[in-house]
Amino acid sequence: MESTVRRTRRSYVRPAADTPSGSLELSAIDRDVGLRHMVRSLHVFRHWHEAGRLRGEEGSRSPASVVREALGKALVDYYTFAGRLVDGPQGPASARVECTGDGAWFVEAIAACSLEDVACLDHHPLAIPAEDLLPDAAPGVHPLDIPLMMQVTEFTCGGFVVGLSSSHTLTDGLGAGQFIIAVGDYARGLPKPRVSPIWARELVPSPPKLHLPQPPPDPPTFNFRYLIVDLSFDGVNRVKSQFLASTGQRCSSFDVAVAKVWQARTRSLRLPDPSSCVTLCFFANARHLLPKDGAGAAGFYGNCFYPVTLTAESGAVERADVAGVVGMVRDAKERLAAEFARWAAGELEDDPYALWWRHEPLFVSDWRQLGFLEADFGWGAPSHVAPLATLRFMPVALIVTPPKPRTGVRITTQCMEEEHMPAFREEMKAFEE
């Protein structure tokens, strides 16, 4: 379907009140050059006329105007999002935040169709190009120097889509979710966010310089294809029962999902040597490992994750049942605290965050608990949130919640090239058999 989106207004949204100025230093994780990219996502809200909870004068306001005003209020608390990222003497590896108050880039748009006309953006390829639902470039600023860009597109049915583009240098997924919830809090008339943000980058360890492999001068890129698969709760619970029966231990839906997609990818690659190694990397929240108790880290919105890696022989991953691969995943999760402590002390030989420059691991991220589904601008929570994976040098799998009213676990993958897609599709399909 040809795009029917028309952008009607573009501007910077500045903080609604005075904010601090000056420079803020980023943490050792923030400054990882592999994080110097924008994380993009589409947040789909259906039937706001019918589901609206705003009353009186507020009830007649459009989503774009409500979100715009709330964003200005949230930028007072999260004033770093209204600043600019600036490279230091060593380039991106020494970047900092200049608190300029210049504002976040905000775009308003309308679509000449209903969300139902475009299947509520629930299929790939999307019936409307993602680029039309995301904010276009802000003038006069390098795209990677502006921490936050947002577009609100209103549809004829009364639904709307928030296209979000945020800098991974400034925040991880949990931090981005915390911020968008704060915008929703203001949109619904709360006097302040339910969670107050803290900068506190000093909480994150700054280990001695570890060996950092240099990225290749001409890093390979791949034409990874999209595949979206929904795992039913029945299928997930079946694997959980098998794991419990064989080990006496419980496992999570994440464990099952990541084990299945890693095994399916490994089998589909059909590596000729069963002793060749395959690697899985998933990103674990490390806030509870900061050198303060959990309450001390509440409100922290910087990067605080650890890349948990697991390497095994391809033959072992292929031969095991899914419950067996779950055991491998859980063993890796149990090493998180010890490995984070070793990284913090500078005891590791290589920087674990340098995985960005390797193309052989499968990278998995879980979006279900980031808070995006709790963001309510006054018309209820989104029906679904669609992350957009666009890093052509990294095979990725993103675990999300399926659009309502569906249940289960959705895996959005961009990790296989065309020649391996038929086998990968069949391997993922076999989960329900």
Side-chain angles (χ1 to χ4, degrees), residues 13-27:
V13 174
R14 293 178 170 82
D18 292 339
T19 56
S21 60
S23 296
L24 288 175
E25 295 298 320
L26 294 163
S27 74

Side-chain angles (χ1 to χ4, degrees), residues 131-176:
E131 297 298 332
D132 290 351
L133 298 168
L134 292 162
D136 53 1
V141 182
H142 189 282
L144 297 182
D145 293 345
I146 184 167
L148 181 73
M149 297 183 286
M150 184 182 293
Q151 176 171 314
V152 177
T153 304
E154 298 173 3
F155 287 74
T156 58
C157 58
F160 63 98
V161 173
V162 176
L164 184 65
S165 183
S166 60
S167 173
H168 209 327
T169 294
L170 190 59
T171 183
D172 60 11
L174 282 168

Side-chain angles (χ1 to χ4, degrees), residues 118-142:
V118 292
C120 293
L121 303 174
D122 185 26
H123 301 294
H124 189 85
L126 298 175
I128 294 179
E131 297 298 332
D132 290 351
L133 298 168
L134 292 162
D136 53 1
V141 182
H142 189 282

Side-chain angles (χ1 to χ4, degrees), residues 4-205:
T4 57
V5 173
R6 179 170 61 89
R7 295 182 173 96
T8 59
R9 184 181 181 186
R10 301 172 174 88
S11 63
Y12 288 106
V13 174
R14 293 178 170 82
D18 292 339
T19 56
S21 60
S23 296
L24 288 175
E25 295 298 320
L26 294 163
S27 74
I29 302 177
D30 294 333
R31 293 193 302 269
D32 184 273
V33 293
L35 295 182
R36 196 65 178 270
H37 66 269
M38 305 300 286
V39 178
R40 311 185 309 163
S41 54
L42 301 178
H43 306 242
V44 182
F45 296 81
R46 301 177 64 180
H47 303 305
W48 65 270
H49 284 311
E50 292 81 358
R53 297 197 304 277
L54 297 179
R55 295 294 182 263
E57 179 184 351
E58 292 293 309
S60 63
R61 297 182 61 193
S62 70
S65 63
V66 171
V67 174
R68 176 187 175 86
E69 180 178 321
L71 175 60
K73 295 177 179 179
L75 289 176
V76 177
D77 304 281
Y78 292 86
Y79 57 90
T80 53
F81 280 102
R84 297 294 180 262
L85 294 167
V86 178
D87 289 347
Q90 287 77 48
S94 57
R96 64 184 186 277
V97 179
E98 290 290 345
C99 302
T100 62
D102 288 335
W105 182 238
F106 191 82
V107 179
E108 300 178 30
I110 56 174
C113 63
S114 69
L115 279 170
E116 286 72 16
D117 291 335
V118 292
C120 293
L121 303 174
D122 185 26
H123 301 294
H124 189 85
L126 298 175
I128 294 179
E131 297 298 332
D132 290 351
L133 298 168
L134 292 162
D136 53 1
V141 182
H142 189 282
L144 297 182
D145 293 345
I146 184 167
L148 181 73
M149 297 183 286
M150 184 182 293
Q151 176 171 314
V152 177
T153 304
E154 298 173 3
F155 287 74
T156 58
C157 58
F160 63 98
V161 173
V162 176
L164 184 65
S165 183
S166 60
S167 173
H168 209 327
T169 294
L170 190 59
T171 183
D172 60 11
L174 282 168
Q178 179 181 307
F179 172 76
I180 205 69
I181 288 174
V183 177
D185 288 345
Y186 279 120
R188 297 196 317 282
L190 273 64
K192 64 179 183 179
R194 287 169 291 171
V195 177
S196 297
I198 60 171
W199 180 253
R201 291 312 199 264
E202 69 279 1
L203 292 177
V204 178

